[in-house]
Amino acid sequence: MQFPIQFGNEIRIVSKISTFSAQHRAIIEQASYQDRHLVLPDLRWRSVFLGAGEEKAVFCVCDHEQHVFALEVINERTYLNGRFVGGDYFCDLRVPGLANRKLNPDAFAGLMFTGKVRVREFVYGYEWARFQFDPRRSSWIDNILTLWLQTVFAAQFQRYHAHYQDVHDRNVMFELRHTSASGFPVLVRDCSGRFIVYRVGIQPIDVR
């Protein structure tokens, strides 16, 4: 499935990566973190920050063939081995340019990278706490869609909560899927402004 993602001022039509090659590994191993941005040696590649907690930050990375994956940049001192239980991990790497770097360089304390990264499947969608009809802006429709989808998937969310530790509204995602996949059909807009129907399911991305 192809979908658009915005990287700065550029919108790319992308799809999930299926094979993480030796070339991919070599490029990630040369990554660094400067001015609050992930810096990659291949200028055809792009990245965007997705979010962070106490133990890691997550970036969406797009390669030169418009394939995307998630890059988890970890603080091993506080890492509790949160797992993406329903999808694929591709590899773990040691990246010298991401060692001893703060997520926020101006902060007295906060997340400090140690150089370990994990490469995993990217999940296209929104956190359990907030589904959006249009990623470019918030509106009253978001509240209605969020409450409706939370009701639809309440039993499945509770099963995750009963089976795993640390399940909350930031580490379970409403995943936007192809119409041939399982899930409930929802009409939304994408970041290019196009109306499109996806199937929505839920996906835990960081549970133990």
Side-chain angles (χ1 to χ4, degrees):
M1 183 182 83
Q2 292 187 314
F3 48 90
I5 293 184
Q6 187 156 358
F7 298 90
N9 295 322
E10 179 186 6
I11 294 176
R12 290 192 174 189
I13 306 301
V14 303
S15 58
K16 293 184 182 185
I17 199 167
S18 58
T19 302
F20 198 78
S21 68
Q23 180 186 9
H24 287 91
R25 292 175 65 101
I27 289 172
I28 293 299
E29 286 172 343
Q30 298 175 64
S32 61
Y33 189 72
Q34 301 172 21
D35 300 323
R36 303 190 186 189
H37 291 90
L38 187 67
V39 179
L40 299 159
D42 191 322
L43 298 180
R44 298 171 296 174
W45 286 39
R46 295 290 183 270
S47 71
V48 62
F49 175 67
L50 298 178
E54 294 181 356
E55 52 187 84
K56 61 188 168 188
V58 184
F59 297 84
C60 174
V61 178
C62 180
D63 70 12
H64 57 287
E65 295 181 322
Q66 319 309 320
H67 295 145
V68 292
F69 54 90
L71 189 71
E72 299 181 347
V73 188
I74 292 168
N75 177 1
E76 293 166 275
R77 302 177 188 92
T78 58
Y79 188 49
L80 298 174
N81 199 32
R83 297 287 298 172
F84 177 42
V85 298
D88 294 324
Y89 279 93
F90 297 105
C91 65
D92 290 4
L93 298 171
R94 183 65 59 179
V95 181
L98 296 176
N100 302 313
R101 298 281 185 173
K102 286 185 177 180
L103 175 66
N104 180 355
D106 299 326
F108 176 74
L111 181 61
M112 174 77 80
F113 306 143
T114 56
K116 179 177 180 177
V117 304
R118 308 195 82 176
V119 181
R120 65 162 172 83
E121 178 184 337
F122 173 72
V123 177
Y124 179 50
Y126 300 100
E127 292 176 353
W128 176 267
R130 184 70 170 179
F131 189 89
Q132 282 190 253
F133 172 71
D134 187 336
R136 301 169 302 171
R137 61 182 67 88
S138 297
S139 73
W140 60 270
I141 302 175
D142 300 346
N143 294 329
I144 294 173
L145 284 173
T146 300
L147 288 172
W148 176 67
L149 289 169
Q150 286 176 347
T151 300
V152 168
F153 292 107
Q156 190 172 347
F157 185 89
Q158 288 305 315
R159 285 196 294 272
Y160 291 144
H161 202 281
H163 188 74
Y164 299 105
Q165 298 181 50
D166 196 34
V167 175
H168 52 77
D169 59 10
R170 291 190 61 198
N171 64 8
V172 175
M173 298 280 291
F174 290 117
E175 184 178 21
L176 303 178
R177 302 168 176 168
H178 191 272
T179 51
S180 62
S182 61
F184 284 80
V186 177
L187 175 69
V188 297
R189 281 186 127 162
D190 62 27
C191 64
S192 67
R194 180 183 58 160
F195 286 100
I196 187 167
V197 174
Y198 289 107
R199 293 271 183 178
V200 176
I202 64 170
Q203 175 68 62
I205 57 168
D206 189 19
V207 295
R208 303 190 300 276

